[in-house]
Amino acid sequence: MVEPTPAAHTDAPPPHAPARHGTHLVRSDWVIVGLALAFMAVAGVTHYLGGGAVLAFVSAAAAVALLAALVGRSVEQLGDRFGPGATGVLQSALGNLPELFISLFALKAGLVAVVQAALIGSILANLLLVLGLCFVVGGLKHGTQSLDSARARGITVMLLVSVAAMVMPSVAHLIHAPAAEHETTLSVIASVFLLLLFVLTLRASLRRGDDPGRPGGPDEAEPPRWKLPFAVGMLAASAAAAAFVSDWFVTALTPAMDAIGISQAFAGLVVVAIAGNAIENVVGVQLAAKNRSEYAFAVVINSPLQIALVLAPLLVILSAVLGFASLTLVFSPLLVVSVAIAVLLSAFITFDGKSTWIEGAGLLALYGVIAATFWWG
Amino acid sequence: MVEPTPAAHTDAPPPHAPARHGTHLVRSDWVIVGLALAFMAVAGVTHYLGGGAVLAFVSAAAAVALLAALVGRSVEQLGDRFGPGATGVLQSALGNLPELFISLFALKAGLVAVVQAALIGSILANLLLVLGLCFVVGGLKHGTQSLDSARARGITVMLLVSVAAMVMPSVAHLIHAPAAEHETTLSVIASVFLLLLFVLTLRASLRRGDDPGRPGGPDEAEPPRWKLPFAVGMLAASAAAAAFVSDWFVTALTPAMDAIGISQAFAGLVVVAIAGNAIENVVGVQLAAKNRSEYAFAVVINSPLQIALVLAPLLVILSAVLGFASLTLVFSPLLVVSVAIAVLLSAFITFDGKSTWIEGAGLLALYGVIAATFWWG
Amino acid sequence: MVEPTPAAHTDAPPPHAPARHGTHLVRSDWVIVGLALAFMAVAGVTHYLGGGAVLAFVSAAAAVALLAALVGRSVEQLGDRFGPGATGVLQSALGNLPELFISLFALKAGLVAVVQAALIGSILANLLLVLGLCFVVGGLKHGTQSLDSARARGITVMLLVSVAAMVMPSVAHLIHAPAAEHETTLSVIASVFLLLLFVLTLRASLRRGDDPGRPGGPDEAEPPRWKLPFAVGMLAASAAAAAFVSDWFVTALTPAMDAIGISQAFAGLVVVAIAGNAIENVVGVQLAAKNRSEYAFAVVINSPLQIALVLAPLLVILSAVLGFASLTLVFSPLLVVSVAIAVLLSAFITFDGKSTWIEGAGLLALYGVIAATFWWG
C-alpha cells in the first residue's frame, strides 16, 4: 500500500496541515520509511546470508523503489526553498540518483546489455506503459482528458531531439558506416553534446522559474514540511541506502533471471526499467485519476527526457572514467526501433492534446507486443 | 457508371424519398445489383468454360467490387435500427467481409506474398491514392478544405498504434533479433493484442453511439429504406456471392498477372488492393467533391485502421486454425518502410487539419513512386 | 561584413529610399558586388597561377556564396514586376542556380558522393543548423517566438512528401529489394514524379499570387530599385560568373579536403552544403533576430523543399542527359536516416508553432552529433 508522494498531495492537503519550516512527517512519509527499512532488512539478509535468488531480487527491487521515492521526496522538501526553478534543477540532478546507482553497479558487474535495455526500457515504460495506464484510468473515470499545453509540446520536441542524438551511434553501427569503427569516440561525442544541452535546459528552467505564470509553478507545489537540515539528512541517508541496495539488486539480478528463465534483454527492458521507475509511475497514474491530466502528462514525459539527456550520457562518460565495462550508445537495433516508435507515437499524442481510454489501451497493447518481441532477446 | 452508395446520398436525398421501413430500392441500388449480376455471369462463364485469363480476372474483380458495395449497403440498411453505435460495430465486423474472402482463398492457394502485399497495399491505397484523389478533387472544386476534427486525430493515433504493433514481428525478422526464430508465435501474440484492442474499440464506439453530438451520428445518416428481412436477405445473398466470386478472382489472378507480366508483389500491392476497395474509395472521393471533406477524411482513414486492427490479425489466426498457407506478420522490408511512410505522412496531414489540391498531387506522386518501386517486386 | 539582402530590408528601408524603377544600388549591393569581385580575383589567381589548395578553396567558396546572393538579389529585383506569384516561380527556378552549377561541375569531375552528401547536407543545414541558429538568436532576444501559420504547415507536408519520394530508391537499394537492380530507372522515375510535382507547385503559387492576403505577399516586398534591363544584366552576369567560379570551387575541393584531412562525405555534407547556402542562411537568422520569426521560418524550410523537389531530381536527369558521372537517388543509408530524422523533427517543430532558444540549442546539438558521425565518412 504505497501512499502518494508529495506531488500528488497538492490538491488534497492532509487535515493536520504542516506549519511552514517545521519538520513534519505525514503518514505517507512514515509508511515509505517503514517499508523501505523492512525491505532493506529482507534484502540485506538474503544478500549476505542467502535465502533464494528470487526473494533476494524482489526484496531488493522493492527496497530500491521505496528508497527512490524517499530520495524524490527529500529533494522536493529541500528544493522549494530556492524557488521553483532551482527545484527543477535539483530534481533533474538528483531524481535519477537511484537509477544511476543501479546502472553503475550493473556496469561494474559487466551487465552492459542489461543497462542498455534498462535505459531504453525506462523510456518505453514511461511512454507506453505508464502513459497507457494514465489514459485508461483517467479516461474511464473522467472521459476524454486534455493534455494540451505549450510545456508538454516543448518537452516532446526536446525528447525527439535528445533521442535522435542518442541513437546516432547505433545508426552508424547498424548500417556499417565508417564511423562505426569509432563507436566509443562517437558515443562520447554524442554524450558531451547531450550533457551540454542538459546544462542549457537547467538554465532555461531557472529562467522559467522567474515566471510566475509557469505551469507547475507555485500553485502546484505545497510549502515544504521538513526543516532544511532534516531534508538534507534524509536525502543523504536515503541516497546512501539506495547505493547499497542497488548493489544487492544487481547481485541478485542474474541468478533471479536464471531461476525464472528470462533473457538479459527482457530483464533490462521490462523488469529493471519498471523497478527503477515504480513510484514515479504510481504518482503519474494517481494524478490522471484525479483528473489532473495535464500535470500527469508533463511528469510522465519529462522522465524519458531526463534519461536521454542526462542518465544515458552520464553513464557513458562515467563508465569510461571509472574503468567499468565500456558502455556505448550503440544499442541493439530492436531497442532503437522500439524507442523510435514510442517517441514518435508519444509526440503525436502530445500534439493531439486529448487522451481517451481507448488510446491508453492501444499504448498498453503496443507495450505488450514490444515486450513479447524482447522475450526471446 | 457506379452510383454513390447511401453514405454519399445524405445531403441529396432522391426526390422519390422512401417511406421509413418500406423496402424501397433507389435507382443506384438497382444499378449495383444489375451490374453485379452481369459481371458475375461473365466471371462465372470465364471461370468454368474459359475465355482468357485477363477477361476472367477483370470481370471477377468488377463483380467483387460491386458485391462489396452491396454488402456495405446492406449493412447500412440493417444497422440503423440499432442506433449509430451498433451500426459502427456491424460495419466494422462485416464491411471487410469481401476482402476477408479474397484473402482466405488466396491463402488457400498458397499466395502468401500476394495477401501480405494486398494488406499493406490497401493501407497505402487509402492513405495515398484515395486521400490524394480526395484532396485534388475537393481542392480544385472548393479550395483549401478543412479536415480538423478530434475524431480524425483519434483515428490517426489508433492507426499509428495498430500499425506499429502489426509491424513489430517484421522488425524483429529484419534485424535478425532472437525473436525472429519465433516469428509465427510472435505474429499470433501481436494478432491477439490487436484483436483485443479491436474489441475494446467496438465498446468505445458503442459508448460514443450514446452521444448525440458525435460526428457521423444521426445527422449524417439517412433513415433506412429497406425492411429488416430484406436487408438481412440482401446481406446474406451478397456475402455468399462475394465468397464465390472471390474464389474465381483468386483463381484468375495468377494466370492474368502472368499474361500481363507483372510481379506478385505489384499485383497484391496495387491490383488486388484497389479492386478490394474500389467502391469505398469512390464514395470517399464523392464526399470530398461535395465539400464534405471532414466526413470523407474520417471514412478514408478509418479503412486502414480496420485492416491493421482486424483484417490482418484475423487472417493470421484463421490461416493457422484452418491449416492454410501460414500467414505471419513478417512483411517484406519494403512493405514495412512504405506503410511507415504512409502512416506518418497521413498523421501529419491529419494534424495539419487542412488539405489543398497540391498536397493531394503530392500524395499521388508518392503513391506512383512507391508503386514503381514494387514493379520489379 | 555581409549586408542583408533585400528580403531582410523590408521593415527598415534605407533612408535614401529609391525612386521606383530608377536603377538604384544601395550600399549593400555595392558591398556584395565589390566583395564578389575581390574573392573572384583571388580565386581566379589561385586557380590559374596556384597559391595553395586551401586558399583557392576558401576564396572560391566565398565568391560562390556572394555570387549566389547577387543572383538572388537580381531575381528579386526582376520578379516584382510580374506580381508576387511570378516572383515565386522565378525565385524557385533561378534561386538554386549556383548550387546547380556546383553540382554539375562536381558530377563532371566524378564526385558523385560529394554531390549526394551536399544535397542531403543542404537539407540538414537548413533544418538543423540554420533553424537552430534562428531559434537561439530569436529566442534569446525576443523570448518564445511564434511559427504558426498554415503556410509553414503546408510547406512541411510537401517537404515530407518530397523527401519520402526522393529516398524510395535508397530504401529499395538498402533492403535489397528486386527494384534495387533497376536503381537508375527507379531514380529517373522518382525524379520525373518530383519535377511534375514541382511544376504543379508553381501553378499553385501562381494561383496563390492572386490572393493579396497571402503571407509573403505585397506587404513584405519592397518596390524594385533596379531598372529591368539592369536587373536582367546583373542576373546574367552574376549567373555566368557563378558558373565559372563553381568550376574553380570544385577543382579546389579535393586538394583542399586532402590538405585539411577530411572525408568526401563530410566535405559534401558540411562544407559544400554550408558554402552553397551561406547568404540565404544569414538572411533567415537576421529575420529571426528582428522578431519576424514566421517569415524567417517559412524562408528556411522552403529551401530544403526546393532541393528535394527540383535540384535533386533535375541533377539526376541532367547527369543522365549530359553523360556526366551517373547520379542516382540511391543515397548512403546514413544520409537517408539523417534526413528522415531532420525532416520529421522539423515537422513536429512546425506543428508545435512555437520556438524557444533551448529548442534551437537542441537542433544545433543534433546537427553536431550528425556531423560528427559523418566525420569518418
Side-chain angles (χ1 to χ4, degrees), chain A residues 203-223:
Chain A
R203 275 204 49 184
S205 61
L206 279 172
R207 229 173 226 233
R208 259 206 317 275
D210 300 332
D211 173 12
R214 153 184 178 251
D219 341 333
E220 294 193 10
E222 59 171 357

Side-chain angles (χ1 to χ4, degrees), chain A residues 153 161 175 178-179 182 197 201 351, chain C residues 334 348 352 357-358 362 373 376:
Chain A
R153 288 199 303 274
V161 167
I175 64 188
H182 307 267
L197 195 56
T201 59
F351 281 74
Chain C
L334 199 55
F348 281 109
D352 182 14
W357 68 266
I358 188 70
T373 309
W376 296 279

Side-chain angles (χ1 to χ4, degrees), chain B:
Chain B
M1 263 260 305
V2 177
E3 284 273 325
T5 74
H9 265 301
T10 50
D11 52 355
H16 46 298
R20 197 175 162 90
H21 291 291
T23 294
H24 191 108
L25 282 84
V26 293
R27 201 183 46 195
S28 70
D29 293 336
W30 287 115
V31 170
I32 293 180
V33 170
L35 284 173
L37 289 173
F39 279 111
M40 273 181 71
V42 178
V45 167
T46 49
H47 179 74
Y48 291 112
L49 304 179
V54 178
L55 179 62
F57 176 74
V58 170
S59 57
V64 163
L66 290 156
L67 290 166
L70 219 46
V71 168
R73 198 161 277 216
S74 308
V75 168
E76 191 160 342
Q77 292 299 319
L78 196 70
D80 268 50
R81 286 171 183 85
F82 313 109
T87 304
V89 176
L90 274 165
Q91 284 178 339
S92 298
L94 300 176
N96 286 307
L97 218 51
E99 278 175 289
L100 183 67
F101 289 142
I102 293 177
S103 302
L104 283 176
F105 282 111
L107 286 178
K108 206 176 150 198
L111 301 171
V112 176
V114 172
V115 172
Q116 289 188 319
L119 288 170
I120 301 293
S122 292
I123 297 178
L124 294 179
N126 275 285
L127 295 183
L128 301 178
L129 179 61
V130 182
L131 218 52
L133 286 172
C134 286
F135 288 4
V136 167
V137 170
L140 289 178
K141 280 186 82 165
H142 305 285
T144 301
Q145 291 186 304
S146 168
L147 316 169
D148 195 63
S149 79
R151 191 197 193 188
R153 289 200 302 274
I155 294 173
T156 299
V157 168
M158 292 307 287
L159 180 62
L160 288 164
V161 168
S162 312
V163 168
M166 187 178 78
V167 301
M168 278 308 293
S170 313
V171 170
H173 181 87
L174 182 56
I175 64 188
H176 308 295
E181 287 168 35
H182 306 267
E183 61 188 46
T184 306
T185 314
L186 188 58
S187 298
V188 170
I189 292 172
S191 298
V192 168
F193 272 107
L194 285 165
L195 289 173
L196 281 175
L197 196 55
F198 171 66
V199 171
L200 292 173
T201 60
L202 292 186
R203 277 205 48 185
S205 61
L206 278 172
R207 232 171 223 235
R208 259 205 319 274
D210 300 332
D211 173 11
R214 153 185 177 250
D219 341 332
E220 295 194 10
E222 59 171 356
R225 294 172 284 106
W226 300 352
K227 276 193 185 142
L228 188 61
F230 183 82
V232 171
M234 184 65 101
L235 175 61
S238 54
F244 263 89
V245 181
S246 294
D247 187 13
W248 306 344
F249 176 82
V250 169
T251 308
L253 181 67
T254 310
M257 296 305 106
D258 288 349
I260 310 176
I262 62 182
S263 70
Q264 277 208 358
F266 188 84
L269 189 91
V270 178
V271 181
V272 178
I274 293 180
N277 290 284
I279 302 294
E280 257 171 83
N281 300 351
V282 170
V283 172
V285 177
Q286 282 176 326
L287 286 168
K290 290 182 182 173
N291 208 14
R292 303 190 56 201
S293 55
E294 301 203 5
Y295 189 34
F297 189 64
V299 166
V300 173
I301 63 171
N302 193 54
S303 178
L305 175 58
Q306 298 302 324
I307 291 161
L309 209 50
V310 198
L311 192 61
L314 195 61
L315 283 169
V316 167
I317 286 173
L318 284 179
S319 82
V321 170
L322 300 177
F324 291 165
S326 167
L327 179 73
T328 67
L329 294 179
V330 177
F331 299 99
S332 84
L334 200 54
L335 289 173
V336 172
V337 173
S338 304
V339 81
I341 289 174
V343 167
L344 284 172
L345 187 56
S346 65
F348 281 109
I349 288 173
T350 308
F351 280 74
D352 183 14
K354 301 273 173 214
S355 73
T356 58
W357 69 265
I358 188 70
E359 284 177 13
L363 292 176
L364 294 178
L366 182 57
Y367 186 76
V369 173
I370 290 177
T373 308
F374 280 90
W375 180 256
W376 295 279

Side-chain angles (χ1 to χ4, degrees), chain C residues 257-285:
Chain C
M257 297 303 107
D258 288 349
I260 310 175
I262 62 182
S263 69
Q264 277 209 358
F266 189 84
L269 189 91
V270 177
V271 181
V272 178
I274 292 180
N277 289 285
I279 304 293
E280 257 171 84
N281 300 351
V282 171
V283 172
V285 177

Side-chain angles (χ1 to χ4, degrees), chain A residues 316-368:
Chain A
V316 167
I317 287 173
L318 283 180
S319 83
V321 170
L322 300 177
F324 291 165
S326 168
L327 178 74
T328 67
L329 294 178
V330 177
F331 299 99
S332 83
L334 199 54
L335 289 172
V336 173
V337 173
S338 303
V339 81
I341 289 175
V343 168
L344 284 172
L345 186 56
S346 65
F348 281 109
I349 287 173
T350 308
F351 281 74
D352 182 12
K354 301 272 173 214
S355 73
T356 57
W357 67 265
I358 188 71
E359 285 177 12
L363 292 176
L364 294 178
L366 183 56
Y367 186 75

Side-chain angles (χ1 to χ4, degrees), chain A residues 303-320:
Chain A
S303 177
L305 175 58
Q306 298 302 325
I307 291 162
L309 208 51
V310 197
L311 191 61
L314 195 62
L315 283 169
V316 167
I317 287 173
L318 283 180
S319 83

